[in-house]
Amino acid sequence: QKEVEQDPGPLSVPEGAIVSLNCTYSNSAFQYFMWYRQYSRKGPELLMYTYSSGNKEDGRFTAQVDKSSKYISLFIRDSQPSDSATYLCAMSQWGSQGNLIFGKGTKLSVKP
Amino acid sequence: KAGVTQTPRYLIKTRGQQVTLSCSPISGHRSVSWYQQTPGQGLQFLFEYFSETQRNKGNFPGRFSGRQFSNSRSEMNVSTLELGDSALYLCASSPGTGIAEQYFGPGTRLTVT
């Protein structure tokens, strides 16, 4: 079993839809959770960072962490064509913050 | 603030050669991590440097090495290149000291022929 599992998609939605992206993980020591967005041939861009459990909102983006279920989510409201990219979840544990473990990424396409 | 910069952006090498990639972190950031990204394996951690010391290392062979300088700039070296080393090599910086958020550069795309 991989440490972090993420559905690769592709996921195609109409403009304005609510998008839900998810990752599951197996290592209960993970405490730091991040979502990155990566456009084609670019480096990953940090979207959201959450420490331990709970929700965090930033504009159209909401990140949720459920440590009891080892499950994290990213919601995108009012999706735009410019949101079309690959979304990567990443996580790390105390003492190894510099070692991010990534999911394989979900490719999202938002159609006008 | 300027972001993370990586040079060169593209590189073509022949099997058996060696290569050195460079990374300049965000000003004030002391931690630099390196990752390899391939379509099959995704993003995999290579190593992390903090204050010129390797703090963490991933599961890559000894052909992959790195170092960090006193100004926090970092280099990674791959010796005896193999075809399977073709990948996007990404550098990420973080303020360090227990902070997990990392900010990535644009990457160096290495092609081994």
Side-chain angles (χ1 to χ4, degrees):
Chain A
Q1 182 191 11
K2 283 192 158 298
E3 274 194 294
V4 179
E5 301 273 7
Q6 184 176 9
D7 187 336
L11 181 62
S12 183
V13 301
E15 183 176 354
I18 296 174
V19 176
S20 172
L21 303 166
N22 312 293
C23 287
T24 59
Y25 62 94
S26 58
N27 187 347
S28 57
F30 286 145
Q31 293 181 293
Y32 308 94
F33 304 92
M34 278 144 277
W35 285 95
Y36 286 86
R37 176 175 64 193
Q38 187 173 26
Y39 292 112
S40 182
R41 309 192 83 79
K42 303 282 188 184
E45 171 194 3
L46 180 62
L47 282 177
M48 300 289 283
Y49 163 71
T50 310
Y51 170 69
S52 194
S53 279
N55 295 355
K56 186 171 184 179
E57 189 172 319
D58 184 1
R60 296 185 296 112
F61 299 93
T62 299
Q64 290 184 350
V65 175
D66 182 350
K67 290 192 72 180
S68 62
S69 301
K70 297 193 183 70
Y71 187 86
I72 70 170
S73 302
L74 177 71
F75 297 95
I76 307 174
R77 289 182 299 281
D78 188 26
S79 56
Q80 303 295 309
S82 58
D83 294 327
S84 298
T86 296
Y87 289 79
L88 299 147
C89 64
M91 46 200 82
S92 63
Q93 61 188 69
W94 175 255
S96 298
Q97 288 92 332
N99 177 1
L100 289 180
I101 308 299
F102 281 85
K104 287 285 188 71
T106 299
K107 189 167 185 176
L108 171 67
S109 177
V110 181
K111 303 294 187 186
Chain B
K1 253 185 189 178
V4 177
T5 58
Q6 292 187 245
T7 56
R9 293 292 312 278
Y10 301 92
L11 209 48
I12 300 175
K13 289 286 189 178
T14 303
R15 194 171 48 183
Q17 288 185 316
Q18 75 164 15
V19 66
T20 299
L21 312 181
S22 181
C23 171
S24 291
I26 292 170
S27 177
H29 285 194
R30 295 168 63 193
S31 168
V32 172
S33 294
W34 288 89
Y35 295 83
Q36 181 194 67
Q37 186 175 30
T38 59
Q41 298 299 318
L43 270 147
Q44 293 184 284
F45 172 74
L46 281 156
F47 29 66
E48 180 204 5
Y49 285 87
F50 179 80
S51 292
E52 302 179 66
T53 301
Q54 187 178 88
R55 196 155 66 169
N56 285 292
K57 188 177 189 308
N59 295 324
F60 277 82
R63 300 185 297 107
F64 292 82
S65 62
R67 60 177 175 167
Q68 187 180 34
F69 302 95
S70 58
N71 61 359
S72 295
R73 192 177 68 85
S74 178
E75 289 181 347
M76 70 162 279
N77 183 275
V78 188
S79 62
T80 319
L81 285 165
E82 300 177 1
L83 296 178
D85 296 333
S86 294
L88 181 66
Y89 289 89
L90 291 157
C91 162
S93 79
S94 168
T97 337
I99 297 173
E101 303 116 282
Q102 294 183 20
Y103 299 88
F104 282 82
T108 294
R109 185 162 297 279
L110 171 65
T111 302
V112 182
T113 61

